[in-house]
């Protein structure tokens, strides 16, 4: 430019132009989104907040932490590769303010080459995809039953005999062959136990509670790519029981994250957000959905799952991690496919004073030698979440404890 300009030739004219660049590459592709050639947002925050971004006189600060985003993306990418999964999703959220610290959907895409990205790469599994999230929903069944007083922590449930209802049979993945208490049902992830408890709650109250947690509406996040949950048309006895252990209702992972945050933050339903100025603690006059006594019991049971249950691989030294595994068969041609699973784990830490909820899901993972061929949530997703917590907790100012 300088050399040509120095020639002093009046016929040479220079015109200024700009090109959009993404220094972090694909790291935030599903969140930031992209624009067209005229800088009009076409997806992500660029589309949702297009008018605000065009008229704002100052930068728009987000809640995202590039360090934690990188950790989550790295661990999820490695797990997708190790277990030959077709995709994955992960979320880290502040349970007190709803601030999204990290959000990843795989596969992702290079924003500068959005035109060549295949549909599966553009699809946001964390907010747009709706899935039967399996046994993670047992936490909601347990919380509602405790709040209603339909069960106590010491009462035992008949989990020995499979449940035969209509054409359906409800069994446990690993039968215990004896009656179980509520903490044991959550610890070993008993489908029979969760179904029996849901039966006690009843369809009407179950629907009311899940609706109050926001499970019937798209997740309230500042993205245009949000999925509408799938709920049964006929919410009868069978649906009540199966929804009790996470089958028969499909929701976005972000909705699960929001619900589990409610179970761990004292019972307050908070709004997930990507904007710093929207991340707020619950208003003083906000009525909690659950009592402190119930949420304390839920934290204890989530800790039990990690210490002695299906998620021992998430038990990270120095941090009180709790949570729940989930393994659900995907539906293909109106039937469940035993060879196509969604394996997930949702964790909360530190349980002594909950700060963050961390979720990870792998879509159709395959077991390997390290997992002895197993590909359930406890084998593939729980250790992933554990590694994310171990690496990101110090960065988030959560010190390790004895």
């Amino acid at each position: 430019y300088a050399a040509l300009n120095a020639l002093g030739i009046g016929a040479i004219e220079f015109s200024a132009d700009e090109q959009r660049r993404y220094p972090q590459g694909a790291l935030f592709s599903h969140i930031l989104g992209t624009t067209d050639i005229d800088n009009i947002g076409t997806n992500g925050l660029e589309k949702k907040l297009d008018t605000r971004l065009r008229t704002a006189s100052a930068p728009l600060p987000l809640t995202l932490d590039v360090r934690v985003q990188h950790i989550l993306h790295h661990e999820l990418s490695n797990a997708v590769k190790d277990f030959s999964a077709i995709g994955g999703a992960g979320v880290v959220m502040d349970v007190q303010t709803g601030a999204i610290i990290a959000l990843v959907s795989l596969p992702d895409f290079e924003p500068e080459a959005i035109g060549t990205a295949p549909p599966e790469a553009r699809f946001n599994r964390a907010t747009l995809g709706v899935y039967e999230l399996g046994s993670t929903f047992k936490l909601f069944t347990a919380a509602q039953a405790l709040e209603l007083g339909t069960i106590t922590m010491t009462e035992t449930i008949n989990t020995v005999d499979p449940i035969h209802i209509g054409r359906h049979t409800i069994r446990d993945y690993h039968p215990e062959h004896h009656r179980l208490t509520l903490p044991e049902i959550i610890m070993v992830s008993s489908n029979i136990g969760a179904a029996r408890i849901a039966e006690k709650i009843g369809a009407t109250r179950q629907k009311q509670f899940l609706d109050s947690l926001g499970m019937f509406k798209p997740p309230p996040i500042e993205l245009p790519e949000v999925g509408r949950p799938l709920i049964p048309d006929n919410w009868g006895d069978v649906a009540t029981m199966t929804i009790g252990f996470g089958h028969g209702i499909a929701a976005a992972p972000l909705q699960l994250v929001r619900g589990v945050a409610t179970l761990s933050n004292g019972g307050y339903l908070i709004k997930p957000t990507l904007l710093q100025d929207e991340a707020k603690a619950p208003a003083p006059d906000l009525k909690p959905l659950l009592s402190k006594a119930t949420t304390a019991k839920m934290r204890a049971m989530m800790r039990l799952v990690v210490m002695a249950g299906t998620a021992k691989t998430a038990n990270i030294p120095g941090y009180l991690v709790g949570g729940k595994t989930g393994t659900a068969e995907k539906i293909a041609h109106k039937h469940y496919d035993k060879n196509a699973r969604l394996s997930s784990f949702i964790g909360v830490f530190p349980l002594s004073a909950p700060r963050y909820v961390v979720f990870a899901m792998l879509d159709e993972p395959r077991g390997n030698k390290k997992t002895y061929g197993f590909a359930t949530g406890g084998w593939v997703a729980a250790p992933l979440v554990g590694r994310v917590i171990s690496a990101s907790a110090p960065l988030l100012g959560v010190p390790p404890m004895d």
Side-chain angles (χ1 to χ4, degrees):
Y1 173 94
L4 287 171
N5 196 46
L7 295 176
I9 302 173
I12 297 179
E13 181 179 348
F14 299 94
S15 60
D17 197 5
E18 61 182 23
Q19 288 184 320
R20 189 172 291 260
R21 288 287 182 261
Y22 298 82
Q24 300 291 343
L27 191 60
F28 295 101
S29 56
H30 284 105
I31 306 171
L32 299 182
T34 58
T35 63
D36 61 16
I37 194 171
D38 296 316
N39 276 338
I40 297 174
T42 55
N43 53 56
L45 288 173
E46 290 281 8
K47 180 178 180 179
K48 186 73 172 182
L49 305 177
D50 186 71
T51 301
R52 180 172 177 180
L53 291 170
R54 286 175 174 278
T55 58
S57 58
L60 181 61
L62 304 182
T63 58
L64 299 164
D65 187 314
V66 67
R67 304 165 302 173
V68 180
Q69 180 82 1
H70 186 274
I71 291 167
L72 180 61
H73 189 280
H74 174 75
E75 294 295 346
L76 196 63
S77 297
N78 284 346
V80 167
K81 181 179 178 181
D82 290 345
F83 299 108
S84 303
I86 65 172
V91 180
V92 179
M93 188 180 84
D94 187 319
V95 302
Q96 302 297 333
T97 68
I100 301 294
I101 309 301
L103 188 150
V104 175
S105 175
L106 296 177
D108 51 18
F109 57 90
E110 291 289 341
E112 294 177 18
I114 181 67
T116 61
E120 60 269 22
R122 301 187 192 195
F123 189 82
N124 190 337
R125 282 177 159 84
T127 63
L128 181 57
V130 293
Y131 311 96
E132 291 189 359
L133 293 166
S135 295
T136 55
F137 263 61
K138 289 172 184 169
L139 294 175
F140 304 134
T141 302
Q144 184 180 17
L146 286 171
E147 189 72 11
L148 292 172
T150 57
I151 193 171
T152 66
M153 295 285 275
T154 56
E155 179 183 346
T156 61
I157 297 290
N158 177 14
T159 55
V160 177
D161 303 315
I163 300 173
H164 301 283
I165 180 168
R167 298 180 292 105
H168 305 274
T169 301
I170 298 173
R171 296 184 173 88
D172 281 343
Y173 187 65
H174 289 298
E176 292 294 318
H177 306 298
H178 61 83
R179 295 175 68 92
L180 299 174
T181 62
L182 177 59
E184 290 171 329
I185 287 169
I186 297 299
M187 181 181 73
V188 303
S189 202
S190 169
N191 291 342
I192 298 172
R196 290 296 186 196
I197 295 170
E199 185 181 30
K200 286 173 173 279
I201 293 170
T204 300
R205 294 191 297 187
Q206 184 186 52
K207 283 193 287 187
Q208 290 172 346
F209 182 61
L210 291 177
D211 188 20
S212 71
L213 286 174
M215 293 296 173
F216 294 175
K217 298 177 182 178
I221 190 72
E222 299 91 357
L223 291 174
E225 298 84 15
V226 290
R228 182 168 292 279
L230 302 177
I231 59 177
D233 295 328
N234 179 22
W235 200 306
D237 293 340
V238 174
T240 299
M241 286 187 170
T242 60
I243 289 171
F245 57 87
H247 286 263
I249 184 172
L254 186 58
Q255 290 172 288
L256 173 68
V257 169
R258 187 190 191 196
V260 172
T262 303
L263 304 186
S264 55
N265 68 7
Y268 295 96
L269 184 68
I270 55 176
K271 179 183 178 297
T273 183
L274 289 161
L275 306 181
Q276 276 190 17
D277 57 5
E278 294 292 330
K280 303 171 184 176
D285 59 345
L286 180 65
K287 184 179 179 181
L289 297 179
L290 299 166
S291 66
K292 290 185 178 179
T294 294
T295 56
K297 291 171 184 174
M298 292 308 304
R299 292 198 303 271
M301 287 191 285
M302 286 192 281
R303 178 62 180 158
L304 186 63
V305 171
V306 173
M307 290 183 68
T310 57
K312 291 189 284 289
T313 52
N315 195 16
I316 301 302
Y319 296 98
L320 288 173
V321 180
K324 185 71 188 76
T325 54
T327 307
E329 295 172 358
K330 295 174 69 174
I331 296 177
H333 308 296
K334 298 183 180 182
H335 296 283
Y336 287 102
D337 185 348
K338 294 182 180 296
N339 297 314
R341 301 182 186 89
L342 288 165
S343 299
S344 62
F345 176 73
I346 188 157
V348 178
F349 78 99
L351 281 177
S352 53
R355 291 275 305 278
Y356 299 99
V357 58
V358 183
F359 170 83
M361 177 190 77
L362 294 180
D363 193 346
E364 296 189 21
R366 305 290 178 184
N368 57 27
K369 288 184 179 180
K370 291 182 179 179
T371 65
Y372 306 98
F374 294 108
T376 57
W379 283 101
V380 303
L384 189 169
V385 169
R387 291 191 296 271
V388 170
I389 292 173
S390 181
S392 61
L395 303 176
L396 293 170
V398 182
M401 61 189 298
D402 187 349

